[in-house]
């Protein structure tokens, strides 16, 4: 019995690049269908996890704080987010997703048909394995 060949890091990175390209394209089209830029849609997606300080949001999205301010200004005008001063430090502004922002975020995800269909082709065991692997690679930090 022969062992399957190992996939090297370069091939994995290439497949991740292709996968992210498909996901990002799907996301961009879905966000545009809600009259949002990809950056605005991404901000809503990040805020779906919970409120965030403006600075932390800019860091998460890897963009300049002034750019983040413009993105949030436009989302706030549409009633998708609101700003609140921090309880312990009134200078810190937190951005909170509104109910309408949640609805729009859910609508974007629902319209991502290419991504949805790809994930739906996986059985339960493969979905669980993919989740575990993605979490291990991108979310869980190694113990110090």
């Amino acid at each position: 019995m022969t062992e399957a060949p190992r996939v090297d890091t370069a091939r994995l990175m290439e497949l991740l690049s292709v996968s992210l390209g498909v996901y990002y394209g799907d996301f961009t089209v879905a966000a545009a269908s809600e009259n949002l830029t990809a950056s605005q849609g991404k901000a809503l997606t990040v805020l779906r996890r919970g409120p965030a300080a403006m600075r932390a949001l800019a860091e998460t999205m890897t963009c300049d704080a002034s750019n983040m301010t413009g993105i949030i200004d436009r989302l706030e005008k549409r009633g998708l987010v609101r700003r609140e001063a921090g309880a312990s430090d009134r200078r810190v502004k937190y951005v909170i997703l509104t109910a309408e922002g949640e609805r729009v975020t859910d609508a974007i995800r629902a319209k991502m048909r290419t991504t949805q269909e790809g994930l739906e082709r996986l059985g339960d065991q493969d979905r669980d394995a993919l989740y575990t692997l993605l979490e291990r690679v991108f979310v869980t930090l190694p113990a110090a």
Side-chain angles (χ1 to χ4, degrees):
M1 182 161 76
T2 61
E3 223 176 275
R6 291 192 60 177
V7 177
D8 66 6
T9 301
R11 285 186 62 204
L12 282 173
M13 289 179 73
E14 181 60 28
L15 185 55
L16 276 173
S17 175
V18 170
S19 303
L20 290 172
V22 171
Y23 177 88
Y24 187 72
D26 202 19
F27 180 84
T28 300
V29 169
S33 76
E34 293 292 327
N35 297 313
L36 296 171
T37 65
S39 294
Q40 291 168 334
K42 184 177 177 185
L44 293 178
T45 299
V46 170
L47 291 169
R48 193 73 164 97
R49 300 177 207 147
M54 286 286 288
R55 180 177 305 278
L57 190 56
E59 288 173 8
T60 298
M61 291 185 53
T62 61
C63 72
D64 185 76
S66 62
N67 189 30
M68 191 77 256
T69 299
I71 291 168
I72 297 304
D73 285 348
R74 288 185 287 282
L75 292 173
E76 192 172 37
K77 279 182 186 173
R78 288 196 45 195
L80 303 177
V81 300
R82 70 177 188 280
R83 290 180 175 107
E84 287 184 9
S88 60
D89 185 348
R90 309 275 309 150
R91 296 171 297 179
V92 176
K93 298 295 182 211
Y94 286 88
V95 183
I96 300 160
L97 201 59
T98 64
E100 179 63 7
E102 288 179 15
R103 186 201 65 74
V104 168
T105 304
D106 292 344
I108 290 169
R109 287 180 180 166
K111 291 176 182 177
M112 294 178 65
R113 293 308 318 151
T114 302
T115 303
Q116 296 276 350
E117 289 167 5
L119 293 173
E120 287 168 3
R121 286 193 297 267
L122 299 176
D124 290 344
Q125 217 172 6
D126 285 340
R127 291 168 73 92
D128 291 347
L130 179 60
Y131 184 91
T132 298
L133 292 170
L134 289 172
E135 186 175 50
R136 188 182 321 157
V137 172
F138 297 108
V139 180
T140 305
L141 300 175

